[in-house]
Amino acid sequence: MRAGGPAVARDQLRSIVERIERLEEEKKTIGDDIKDVYAEAKATGFDTKAVRRIIARRKKDQQEVMEEDAVFETYLAALGMQLPLPLDREGDQ
């Protein structure tokens, strides 16, 4: 235990535990708020799976996204599958 005796350590431990409990409650509240926004997106007609993928992708740096895309496209090609060209690239060939 730390200097200052058991009472000080007990008070510090109690403070830490109470702070963690408050943060856990805030995390739960934020999680509920996020679920509400996804429900709103779904009610508006958006595909929530696509929205989740967009959010996950935006968290990554550009290099990581490019590497994942390259691997994905390589696997598709190996299976004889192709991604359709994006609309803005169809006439570029």
Side-chain angles (χ1 to χ4, degrees), residues 21-39:
E21 288 172 339
R22 278 192 306 274
L23 291 169
E24 289 289 342
E25 185 58 35
E26 289 176 28
K27 183 169 77 170
K28 181 187 176 304
T29 300
I30 290 170
D32 290 343
D33 291 346
I34 291 170
K35 286 179 188 176
D36 290 345
V37 175
Y38 278 113

